[in-house]
Amino acid sequence: MTSQKLYLLDYGAGNVRSLLNAVEKIGHTIEYIQTAEDFDKADKIIFPGVGAFGYAMQALRAKGLVEPLKAYVASGRPLMGICVGMQVLFEGSDESPNEPGLGIFEGQVTLFDNSTKTVPHMGWNATQTVHATESAAAPDLNAESRYYFVHSYGVPYTGEGAQKEFVHSATRYGDEVVVSSVWKGSVFATQFHPEKSGTPGLAALRSFIESDLVRPVGPSTVTAPSDVPEAFTVRVIACLDVRANDTGDLVVTKGDQYDVRESAEDGGDVRNLGKPVDLAKRYFDEGADEIAFLNITSFRNMPFKDTPMLEVLRQASRSIFVPLTIGGGVRDIVDPDGEHVWPAVQVAGEYFRSGADKVSIGSDAVYAAERYLQRIADGKVPLDGTTAIEQIAERYGRQAVVISVDPRRVYVNSPNDAPAHHIIKTAFPGPNGEQFCWYQCTVKGGREGRDIDVRQLVTSCEALGAGEVLLNCMDKDGTNSGYDLELIGDVKRAVKIPVIASSGAGKPEHFSEVVKTTAADAVLAAGIFHRREVPIADVKAHLKAEGIQTRNA
Ligand code: 1PR
């Protein structure tokens, strides 16, 4: 197949680099559409969407692209929408009630019900073709494969009325079934992210690029929503703590309860477990569902633009087609010249443009939660829009904002010993036989404890707009002794957003134990993967044997 030129509708959406990389990986090229005139030359457009429905529509309108886009579709030329790029094809969304959509498809985008499940719907799920239309060329979606979804709003799948003419596939998430792809005429759009869905995702993208997908007009029989099976999986995440070692090389390191240096007898240098991009690529090849890079020491002596993590992301995203999270140093930054100031939302923006799908915020989330709780105590409006969490969520969507929590146990004899904090009775008493504990949040990589407990932190950050919790545990980190089930269960009960269990995994049984005991949405490990003690495939095989759905890479 000769290389084709695709046109990407660029209205400032978050991570378009991944799409660019995915198209290039398939062997084609991309040119951007930025003005109304650019539509004239386009003969195949990809319309990505990241962030909020309202932001996407406002951006399209501000650039004068709404009418040209509608005219393009009316002309019968091919368009592929992705995620919010699919949602805005509908009439409107509850996310942004005052922003009408493009109205190309009949229907309204609505919020998932979080009283019965975690929201956002974040992770790998199936997409089942639901209509029986015969066509020579069809979108390449495989019912056995899993695709990466991340959204809080969706189009409820009814299989009735006008939907019969444009619904292509549907996906069950708990008690709800949503439209996961639409196809009518030459318009094909997916709720999931093909560019982040590994090999099956690239195949879906390829089918749009290399075939003439035109759905025949006419009635078709469709599957009933009740016949769309549950296929949502638990994510297995590999985490890479990155920093410069004493000779200045960027390495993946691994702490033992956050101490990343070898013992004095072994030289005391920073543990070196490999190169960040190489190791991440290995994990992608081995089936990791997601990869997190945590920059554990901020690179303070260089302008932010030169931070090596941007280059790590650029390189990693060229060959890794699963979601990438970047953490460490996501906050307002002042360059060493003292003049150039980077608000956190711009820092995040640079990471997204370099290939990240999510940013994770550690220390700054703790300070934001403290201010949030103080405003409540002072009788002020709790949300004032000033925090990094609020601003990044507003601009890029809450699913792009992870908070990384570094708690440690503080043992007490009785709940009265720390009345301001959420105390649990623990099955693992403290060094002096203490029966109770609370989890103190820390900043600066665990070096400073703050007077805020983990429950206060996660509920405050959820209210501020965080979309996910990466829950580490300083006491368990690097111990291989299993996750802190008491901590994770407690946090899971406190929030509706997804919780990633982290710290302490030592064998496959630990992964199934944490999922079954706490209902964690994702399981993360570092040391056992870096040291090749347990392959990702073994973790997945074990989860599967225990009746927990996982994705086959
Ligand atoms: O505060 O926004 O700049 O973010 C700093 C980030 O760096 C935070 O996400 C914080 O968790 C992380 N971090 C800082 N210092 C360390 C350290 O280890 N000295 N790493 C550190 C935290 C925990 C996980 C680890 C799991 C699983 N490491 O990264 O991957 O505990 O490990 P295991 O499976 O081997 O037990 P900011």
Side-chain angles (χ1 to χ4, degrees):
M1 177 92 203
T2 51
S3 174
Q4 290 201 30
K5 190 188 284 175
L6 272 285
Y7 292 83
L8 190 139
L9 186 52
D10 178 19
Y11 60 95
N15 178 6
V16 290
R17 178 174 285 265
S18 300
L19 196 52
L20 199 89
N21 289 333
V23 169
E24 284 180 356
K25 172 84 181 167
I26 305 171
H28 304 291
T29 56
I30 272 189
E31 189 168 313
Y32 290 95
I33 292 186
Q34 277 155 339
T35 65
E37 294 70 45
D38 289 345
F39 278 91
D40 297 339
K41 62 185 177 192
D43 50 12
K44 213 164 229 191
I45 292 182
I46 299 195
F47 179 26
V50 175
F53 185 99
Y55 174 78
M57 283 309 301
Q58 282 160 19
L60 285 176
R61 196 167 316 111
K63 293 188 172 212
L65 301 179
V66 170
E67 292 312 319
L69 177 57
K70 285 183 176 170
Y72 173 89
V73 170
S75 75
R77 284 173 288 169
L79 176 86
M80 178 171 181
I82 296 174
C83 194
V84 173
M86 178 189 104
Q87 294 184 358
V88 296
L89 301 178
F90 285 83
E91 291 164 309
S93 170
D94 291 356
E95 185 176 16
S96 316
N98 300 323
E99 287 293 340
L102 296 168
I104 291 167
F105 297 121
E106 195 179 303
Q108 180 78 6
V109 187
T110 62
L111 183 61
F112 276 118
D113 175 6
N114 74 359
S115 68
T116 52
K117 58 196 171 297
T118 304
V119 175
H121 170 215
M122 186 187 287
W124 297 79
N125 208 332
T127 183
Q128 184 180 316
T129 302
V130 288
H131 69 90
T133 312
E134 293 290 333
S135 52
D140 187 351
L141 299 183
N142 180 344
E144 301 307 314
S145 297
R146 299 291 195 281
Y147 300 82
Y148 185 73
F149 289 80
V150 52
H151 58 130
S152 299
Y153 294 81
V155 178
Y157 172 57
T158 61
E160 287 172 358
Q163 277 200 359
K164 286 186 180 173
E165 289 165 27
F166 64 76
V167 167
H168 180 54
S169 65
T171 293
R172 171 172 295 281
Y173 182 46
D175 53 351
E176 293 180 76
V177 181
V178 290
V179 173
S180 46
S181 66
V182 293
W183 182 28
K184 185 173 182 183
S186 303
V187 177
F188 172 56
T190 62
Q191 177 61 68
F192 59 87
H193 286 269
E195 77 282 14
K196 286 282 140 190
S197 298
T199 308
L202 296 183
L205 210 49
R206 184 193 290 274
S207 67
F208 170 73
I209 299 172
E210 297 182 2
S211 328
D212 284 325
L213 298 180
V214 184
R215 179 162 161 177
V217 185
S220 68
T221 50
V222 296
T223 308
S226 55
D227 290 337
V228 177
E230 175 76 69
F232 190 57
T233 68
V234 162
R235 285 170 282 154
V236 178
I237 302 176
C239 182
L240 288 73
D241 289 358
V242 178
R243 60 163 287 173
N245 65 10
D246 294 341
T247 46
D249 298 325
L250 200 63
V251 298
V252 174
T253 189
K254 183 64 210 83
D256 187 1
Q257 295 178 308
Y258 284 44
D259 181 359
V260 297
R261 289 192 178 271
E262 306 278 11
S263 62
E265 308 87 79
D266 290 330
D269 200 354
V270 171
R271 266 183 218 111
N272 180 350
L273 292 155
K275 293 185 181 165
V277 177
D278 294 352
L279 208 50
K281 176 71 171 58
R282 188 187 113 200
Y283 294 142
F284 169 64
D285 292 339
E286 290 176 0
D289 296 320
E290 212 169 300
I291 292 167
F293 293 103
L294 297 180
N295 162 12
I296 67 168
T297 52
S298 301
F299 298 91
R300 294 190 191 85
N301 301 324
M302 60 181 68
F304 172 66
K305 269 279 190 190
D306 296 339
T307 179
M309 299 314 287
L310 291 169
E311 190 52 28
V312 165
L313 281 170
R314 281 184 210 115
Q315 289 185 23
S317 62
R318 247 176 243 142
S319 52
I320 295 176
F321 299 100
V322 296
L324 299 175
T325 299
I326 177 85
V330 179
R331 56 167 175 264
D332 297 344
I333 291 178
V334 183
D335 276 351
D337 63 11
E339 283 174 19
H340 198 147
V341 180
W342 295 83
V345 66
Q346 261 185 36
V347 169
E350 286 299 313
Y351 283 134
F352 294 135
R353 277 185 287 283
S354 301
D357 301 283
K358 307 186 224 180
V359 292
S360 119
I361 308 178
S363 305
D364 202 59
V366 176
Y367 303 133
E370 289 174 349
R371 293 203 301 276
Y372 170 85
L373 293 171
Q374 190 58 51
R375 284 197 296 277
I376 292 179
D378 294 344
K380 294 184 181 155
V381 184
L383 305 183
D384 65 3
T386 59
T387 63
I389 297 176
E390 289 163 282
Q391 291 176 1
I392 301 170
E394 158 87 18
R395 171 76 175 74
Y396 296 100
R398 69 157 50 213
Q399 78 292 333
V401 185
V402 184
I403 56 158
S404 170
V405 193
D406 302 310
R408 64 182 176 212
R409 280 184 171 217
V410 178
Y411 286 102
V412 287
N413 286 313
S414 114
N416 301 330
D417 292 348
H421 293 300
H422 173 70
I423 307 260
I424 62 162
K425 186 160 186 344
T426 175
F428 305 95
N432 303 310
E434 299 94 334
Q435 302 280 324
F436 298 90
C437 73
W438 63 282
Y439 288 92
Q440 179 184 36
C441 294
T442 64
V443 293
K444 301 176 185 161
R447 287 194 300 279
E448 183 186 324
R450 305 288 295 187
D451 188 24
I452 178 169
D453 64 56
V454 72
R455 215 173 228 241
Q456 290 171 314
L457 178 77
V458 296
T459 52
S460 303
C461 289
E462 181 178 44
L464 287 165
E468 189 171 32
V469 179
L470 195 182
L471 184 55
N472 301 301
C473 174
M474 292 188 65
D475 313 284
K476 285 288 194 173
D477 175 57
T479 63
N480 287 17
S481 61
Y483 296 94
D484 188 328
L485 304 175
E486 293 178 334
L487 166 69
I488 298 162
D490 197 53
V491 167
K492 253 314 271 182
R493 286 188 290 277
V495 293
K496 299 290 190 184
I497 54 180
V499 174
I500 303 168
S502 168
S503 303
K507 55 184 180 180
E509 290 75 8
H510 289 150
F511 293 84
S512 54
E513 179 183 56
V514 73
V515 173
K516 287 187 170 175
T517 315
T518 71
D521 302 276
V523 285
L524 175 149
I528 56 166
F529 294 154
H530 301 338
R531 295 186 298 268
R532 293 183 186 270
E533 287 163 11
V534 179
I536 291 171
D538 286 10
V539 172
K540 290 196 167 181
H542 171 77
L543 288 171
K544 211 169 179 180
E546 291 292 312
I548 299 165
Q549 298 214 44
T550 58
R551 171 186 79 108
N552 294 325

